[in-house]
Amino acid sequence: MIVIKYLWYYTMWTLVRIGLHLYFSKIKVTGRHNIPKNTPIIFGSNHENAFIDALLITTSNTRFDHYLVRAGVFGNPIAKALLNSLNLMPVYRAQDGVNPLEANKQIFRACFEALAKKYSVMLFPEGEHNMRRHRRVLKKGITRIALGAVNFEGGTKEVSVVPVGVNYSDHTGFRSTVHIVFGEPIVVKEQEENAKNYNKLTSEITEGLSLVHVSLDRNAYLGLDAIFFHDLDSHQLIEPEKINHKSAALENRLDEVNEVYDEKKELEEAGLSFPFRSISNGGKLKMLLLVPLALIGLLINLPVLLPVHWFVKTKIKEVEFVASLKFGFALLGFCVWWWLLASWIWDYSSRWELVIIGTLLPFISLVSLNGFLRKWKRFQTTRMLSNENLQPKYDAFVERVNLIRNSISF
């Protein structure tokens, strides 16, 4: 039975990994050497982008991961069976209508048993998902599992907590970039489960997590975000070490930081959308050259694009779920649609070279469509700056940001 479970898990792992490398233009992974071998691990990550966070982390390492996710996604019996088959376990909160301490006892025991077998457990200790790149207060769940595991009868006597940072250049954009950072492991050995040890371990995990993802000061977040990311290129990787260091240099300049946000807010109220980078003449030429392939990409992929667009626009209430659902629909929808296209080409031509072209063209044209839409958005926003009132305000905003950046050698 365990062999079948392994085969099922790693088959899905492989399919998702391939899909993620098609969905993102680049997935950079740093710190794989920090993942201990042949020892139980708890992966604790920041949580900015719903399910896709877990998919990126688990396909960036080869451990047999178990995951804690909120209980609400287990409501459907079919979904529950599928999630359980992939090692997902529900974690209960007060809003789930139960006593979370009692309801989670069985789940924590399952975590202890998985760790005793030298498997890994993944969870998001912030207890919420939010696209804002700032530090959050951690919940106690990760420390309860870590200390509970080393004190569990018949369990492991040592567990490593590995902080993981998932850093997106664009949380919702297709063909954006992501940087996954595995931090130095925090070794937890058998010790008494008391408030002092809980607080000490929580502090250590908080510190470790703050080093692996972009964790701006929460109170000054909007201004810092404007300074560092207002002109973010969709293919620029987020480098937590660099950004966090520069952010710390502005801790005593909060008035300046807040003034930057006020200027950005004024520009947004005037109609400018961020992040924004003006398009060059070369960019305009590339946009025009992409038109034919973009049109093909739209037409040939419309049976999948249309329902996905409709669902995201009308049914998704939390923006944090957009990328996860776009990826999930795309993985299933495009695989089926492109397989049907390839089958039809084979039935009518019986030529492998045409089948290969018919399989590659939909993806290449889809990427071209995405590139065109990104450049078109930049083109439209750049045109707005021709407004005689808006351009001077934008120039003053950029000048202020550049002065601050230069002062911290950004």
Side-chain angles (χ1 to χ4, degrees), residues 191-374:
Q191 58 192 278
E192 186 178 347
E193 295 181 71
N194 56 35
K196 179 181 178 181
N197 288 335
Y198 276 128
N199 292 335
K200 180 176 180 293
L201 181 56
T202 299
S203 296
E204 290 176 355
I205 297 171
T206 300
E207 178 61 25
L209 195 53
S210 70
L211 298 176
V212 294
H213 76 95
V214 175
S215 49
L216 304 177
D217 184 334
R218 187 168 190 155
N219 296 322
Y221 170 75
L222 294 173
L224 293 171
D225 181 72
I227 290 169
F228 294 120
F229 303 120
H230 77 90
D231 60 347
L232 183 67
D233 185 276
S234 62
H235 291 273
Q236 178 182 332
L237 284 171
I238 307 301
E239 300 293 345
E241 184 177 359
K242 174 184 177 181
I243 299 296
N244 293 341
H245 176 71
K246 301 303 181 185
S247 172
L250 296 174
E251 286 181 356
N252 298 319
R253 300 168 63 180
L254 295 186
D255 288 342
E256 289 180 80
V257 171
N258 291 328
E259 287 173 3
V260 169
Y261 169 65
D262 290 338
E263 290 188 20
K264 179 189 172 188
K265 185 179 179 181
E266 186 178 346
L267 288 167
E268 288 177 326
E269 290 173 348
L272 199 64
S273 60
F274 290 91
F276 165 67
R277 297 175 75 236
S278 60
I279 191 169
S280 63
N281 289 331
K284 294 175 186 177
L285 178 60
K286 290 178 182 178
M287 181 182 72
L288 291 174
L289 294 175
L290 282 172
V291 169
L293 263 180
L295 184 59
I296 293 172
L298 175 63
L299 295 176
I300 202 169
N301 293 296
L302 196 61
V304 179
L305 291 174
L306 197 59
V308 171
H309 177 76
W310 172 83
F311 190 85
V312 169
K313 286 292 185 182
T314 61
K315 301 297 182 181
I316 305 304
K317 305 301 180 184
E318 297 179 61
V319 68
E320 289 81 8
F321 281 103
V322 168
S324 299
L325 291 168
K326 281 168 64 176
F327 172 73
F329 277 123
L331 186 63
L332 177 62
F334 283 122
C335 283
V336 172
W337 176 236
W338 294 345
W339 178 80
L340 287 174
L341 288 176
S343 299
W344 290 336
I345 293 171
W346 174 255
D347 289 340
Y348 283 101
S349 70
S350 299
R351 296 177 60 182
W352 283 110
E353 61 271 26
L354 292 181
V355 172
I356 293 173
I357 293 172
T359 304
L360 293 177
L361 181 61
F363 176 71
I364 294 171
S365 61
L366 182 65
V367 173
S368 299
L369 174 62
N370 180 69
F372 170 79
L373 291 175
R374 284 181 179 274

Side-chain angles (χ1 to χ4, degrees), residues 98-128:
V98 297
N99 182 335
L101 292 177
E102 290 298 319
N104 287 327
K105 281 184 178 179
Q106 184 178 353
I107 302 304
F108 284 2
R109 182 183 178 88
C111 292
F112 302 157
E113 292 173 348
L115 292 168
K117 297 175 183 177
K118 295 186 178 181
Y119 295 149
S120 62
V121 172
M122 183 194 305
L123 67 155
F124 302 98
E126 296 169 344
E128 62 173 312

Side-chain angles (χ1 to χ4, degrees), residues 27-31 53 56-57 59-60 164-167 178-182 212:
I27 299 176
K28 179 181 178 180
V29 182
T30 302
D53 290 337
L56 284 163
I57 296 168
T59 54
S60 297
V164 188
V166 187
N167 303 278
V178 61
H179 184 188
I180 303 162
V181 183
F182 292 96
V212 294

Side-chain angles (χ1 to χ4, degrees), residues 72-86 88:
V73 302
F74 287 80
N76 184 287
I78 297 176
K80 181 178 180 180
L82 176 62
L83 296 175
N84 285 337
S85 74
L86 294 170
L88 274 72

